[in-house]
Amino acid sequence: MNRMHTELMHTDFEDVAGQAAPPTRLTADGVLAEAVRWRRRRATTWVAAGVATLLAAGVGLSLQQHPAARPEPAGPPDPSVTPARNDPFGGLYSLVATDDVHLFAKVGAASLRSEDGGATWKAWTDTSGGGELTSPAPGVLTTTVETINDKFDGQPANGPKAYYTHRISTDAGQTFRDVLVTTEAVAEVPAGGWLFHTCYSASDPCPFQALDPGRARLAPLAAQPPLERAEAAGVPVSAGLWVTGTDPASKLPAVAVSHDRGRTWTKRVLATGKQALGGVVATVDGVTAYTIVQVPNPNYPGTQRTPAPDASVGLLFRTTDGGQTWTQADPGHTLPSSYEYFDGDAYVAADGTHVAASPRSRPQQWFTSRDGAAYRAGRPDGLGENLNATGEHPPVVARPGFYLAFDDEAMYRSPDGLHWTRVPIKAP
């Protein structure tokens, strides 16, 4: 769910309420964490089309607290948390894995690299250009470098506010090269490549493009997903290509899935009964998947109830046939919907368990369900409760056989998403 979608949903909520949204309840620390998260989540989505790490969808900087993103109670202070903890500019604030053994981290001002799964680290010179590193395919590092347009004055003839250069490395970060943007459409995402999506405004048509890492070329995909306000879901691409958005005819949330690298798409409209925005998808095997859709709450703001009902209601849907059919799950609404779910805020464990987190609350709250019927509170064994969720780094990166997360001091890895091992990371 990106900034454009959030702003449109915010308008829907105010229409339902008949009045402006209430003032924010954020603390200063919450504003800082949210600002960094939004700043880094620019409107750029990478989805790999070969075995790859999970990437999250992104949005631009926003300091505004939306009604659907009301933070949960902080709970009692944790005596083990130091003042520097959870500061995205201190300690460990970036961790990228190109595969199970090759990892790249940033600890303070130091760039580090591991070639043994995180057991040992050494200094690494980052020549990417200063953008945030991601790894959408095995052995590949990518980044998007933003350059402010000094000539921008609001006139189209003088260009956009900023220019974005996409850079790629296929030699484990030794060298980076610019990605060449072409206009000739391609029939499918090439083997080893991924689906690329850039969205800068509500009026932007936002075409999906295929990136070929070997040739460092970006080209439009001939068969576009049949959705409006579409966003690629950050799922492992061995699971196929999954896109969320709105059905053009009914204006209802919908999910489009391609299992042939974007040549053809299967679209399914979700039975929300409300014209809301598309949700976020979580899957690891491409068969069992969940999507959470936020819809306006008709009872908001509610003057006779304490506490007042939330501005949105989260509806959960589940598929067990690769997106061919979807059924509504969690009929008792046991999964809290007091905040917006972003791509990567939920994942599917190896056994099919759906795990959802509240990344903006401290300590984080976790909820799990084996079949989507009802959720229970509980953190996966060994996983930290103050995971970083800034920028294009979701709380948990999930792909078959490899799950990865990190906080300010350590990485957490798991073979199944349910049992985790903590590995501290320190600059040499």
Side-chain angles (χ1 to χ4, degrees):
M1 190 175 296
N2 64 20
R3 182 182 182 185
M4 171 184 68
H5 292 183
T6 303
E7 291 172 350
L8 292 172
M9 181 177 283
H10 193 196
T11 300
D12 291 340
F13 293 157
E14 292 185 352
D15 290 342
V16 170
Q19 63 183 49
T24 177
R25 305 177 191 178
L26 281 177
T27 63
D29 289 342
V31 169
L32 173 61
E34 189 73 357
V36 174
R37 175 183 174 89
W38 285 98
R39 176 181 65 82
R40 290 191 175 184
R41 279 192 163 181
R42 291 186 301 268
T44 303
T45 302
W46 302 77
V47 178
V51 179
T53 55
L54 168 73
L55 272 304
V59 298
L61 168 64
S62 173
L63 289 176
Q64 179 182 8
Q65 172 68 6
H66 301 290
R70 189 176 68 191
E72 299 176 17
D78 184 346
S80 67
V81 176
T82 64
R85 191 177 177 86
N86 299 323
D87 177 0
F89 297 109
L92 173 63
Y93 70 92
S94 174
L95 181 64
V96 178
T98 58
D99 53 41
D100 292 9
V101 297
H102 295 91
L103 294 91
F104 299 81
K106 291 188 177 181
V107 180
S111 295
L112 308 180
R113 178 184 178 186
S114 174
E115 298 179 345
D116 54 11
T120 60
W121 295 84
K122 62 181 180 180
W124 170 68
T125 301
D126 181 1
T127 60
S128 65
E132 182 175 5
L133 291 177
T134 62
S135 179
V140 176
L141 286 173
T142 60
T143 188
T144 299
V145 179
E146 180 183 56
T147 303
I148 301 300
N149 180 8
D150 294 334
K151 296 182 179 180
F152 176 76
D153 60 1
Q155 301 299 319
N158 293 327
K161 292 182 179 180
Y163 297 101
Y164 297 91
T165 302
H166 312 299
R167 310 199 73 205
I168 187 171
S169 172
T170 55
D171 57 7
Q174 296 184 51
T175 60
F176 283 82
R177 52 179 170 163
D178 292 346
V179 174
L180 176 64
V181 179
T182 62
T183 58
E184 184 178 356
V186 295
E188 65 181 18
V189 176
W194 54 89
L195 197 63
F196 182 82
H197 191 211
T198 302
C199 222
Y200 296 116
S201 71
S203 60
D204 194 327
C206 300
F208 285 87
Q209 297 170 296
L211 200 148
D212 184 341
R215 302 173 64 195
R217 288 177 180 267
L218 188 65
L221 185 64
Q224 293 287 307
L227 300 175
E228 294 177 340
R229 301 173 182 172
E231 291 187 33
V235 302
V237 292
S238 54
L241 302 177
W242 298 67
V243 176
T244 62
T246 302
D247 174 50
S250 67
K251 305 303 180 182
L252 294 176
V255 179
V257 182
S258 175
H259 292 289
D260 57 8
R261 286 194 233 156
R263 283 185 171 270
T264 61
W265 296 88
T266 297
K267 179 185 68 178
R268 293 293 181 264
V269 178
L270 303 176
T272 61
K274 298 179 183 292
Q275 293 185 1
L277 299 174
V280 294
V281 170
T283 185
V284 73
D285 61 4
V287 179
T288 299
Y290 294 81
T291 183
I292 305 171
V293 180
Q294 301 288 139
V295 299
N297 186 346
N299 296 320
Y300 177 81
T303 58
Q304 303 300 320
R305 295 176 55 186
T306 304
D310 298 313
S312 68
V313 175
L315 300 181
L316 184 71
F317 293 84
R318 181 174 185 253
T319 179
T320 57
D321 56 12
Q324 297 299 309
T325 59
W326 293 85
T327 57
Q328 190 166 347
D330 191 27
H333 299 287
T334 56
L335 178 66
S337 60
S338 59
Y339 54 86
E340 289 182 68
Y341 288 90
F342 290 86
D343 217 0
D345 290 353
Y347 67 93
V348 179
D351 68 350
T353 297
H354 188 220
V355 184
S358 57
R360 286 162 296 285
S361 66
R362 290 293 186 268
Q364 288 158 336
Q365 306 298 310
W366 294 86
F367 304 88
T368 62
S369 175
R370 181 63 179 82
D371 55 7
Y375 284 76
R376 63 181 180 85
R379 183 158 40 101
D381 178 46
L383 189 59
E385 61 182 14
N386 289 282
L387 301 183
N388 283 346
T390 58
E392 295 176 0
H393 298 288
V396 175
V397 171
R399 61 181 173 85
F402 182 69
Y403 294 76
L404 183 68
F406 70 98
D407 58 24
D408 291 343
E409 300 171 346
M411 62 175 281
Y412 300 82
R413 58 181 302 165
S414 169
D416 59 8
L418 297 176
H419 305 91
W420 293 79
T421 300
R422 182 178 186 272
V423 183
I425 297 179
K426 295 182 179 180

